[in-house]
Amino acid sequence: MRMWMVDPRILCNRHLLGEHVELHMFVGTINHNISLTGYGRNGLVEVHNIKSRHEELVKEMKMRGMNHKSPLPSFREFQFGKVNKSKNIKELSKRCKDCKIRIKKA
Ligand SMILES: [Zn+2]
Ligand SMILES: [Zn+2]
């Protein structure tokens, strides 16, 4: 699970949907009281931004004609974690040719 936290427009459909699903999984993890320490240490999560990030990704999904049916469940929000956006842009362009094309166009 990871939050990319980059401009949603540069994410390919697969990575857009992937991050969206993983936000729901992070909420599930929090609601089961499972620790996110490892994710925080590795810069994969910003708990305090899950809700706003979810809104941002759903907006982009709708723009692309994708469905969004299940609302994000409520969860305990707390200040935790920091994601490095510019590092993630490099990471995405390295591991995904579709994201790479979008990054170049942006
Ligand atoms: Zn959702
Ligand atoms: Zn991608």
Side-chain angles (χ1 to χ4, degrees):
M1 296 190 288
R2 82 186 286 167
M3 294 168 76
W4 293 107
M5 293 303 287
V6 302
D7 183 338
R9 289 171 300 181
I10 70 163
L11 294 170
C12 69
N13 289 351
R14 187 169 63 89
H15 278 110
L16 176 63
L17 290 172
E19 184 176 349
H20 169 257
V21 164
E22 290 175 17
L23 290 176
H24 280 259
M25 288 163 65
F26 273 127
V27 169
T29 304
I30 293 164
N31 285 343
H32 284 93
N33 288 316
I34 297 165
S35 166
L36 292 174
T37 306
Y39 294 96
R41 195 171 38 225
N42 291 312
L44 302 174
V45 69
E46 290 182 1
V47 172
H48 48 287
N49 283 326
I50 289 177
K51 205 176 269 180
S52 58
R53 180 63 172 170
H54 180 262
E55 277 170 34
E56 193 176 40
L57 294 187
V58 167
K59 201 171 141 201
E60 181 66 19
M61 283 162 62
K62 287 184 173 162
M63 293 248 292
R64 299 189 196 183
M66 297 166 173
N67 283 324
H68 183 261
K69 290 182 191 109
S70 47
L72 195 69
S74 60
F75 63 102
R76 188 173 60 89
E77 290 180 72
F78 49 97
Q79 184 76 30
F80 179 73
K82 179 83 192 102
V83 171
N84 184 331
K85 294 180 198 188
S86 51
K87 203 176 132 197
N88 282 349
I89 291 173
K90 282 183 198 130
E91 181 77 24
L92 280 164
S93 64
K94 220 192 299 172
R95 66 160 85 174
C96 177
K97 64 173 177 10
D98 296 327
C99 283
K100 191 176 184 176
I101 292 166
R102 303 182 76 97
I103 288 162
K104 277 187 178 160
K105 278 189 202 157

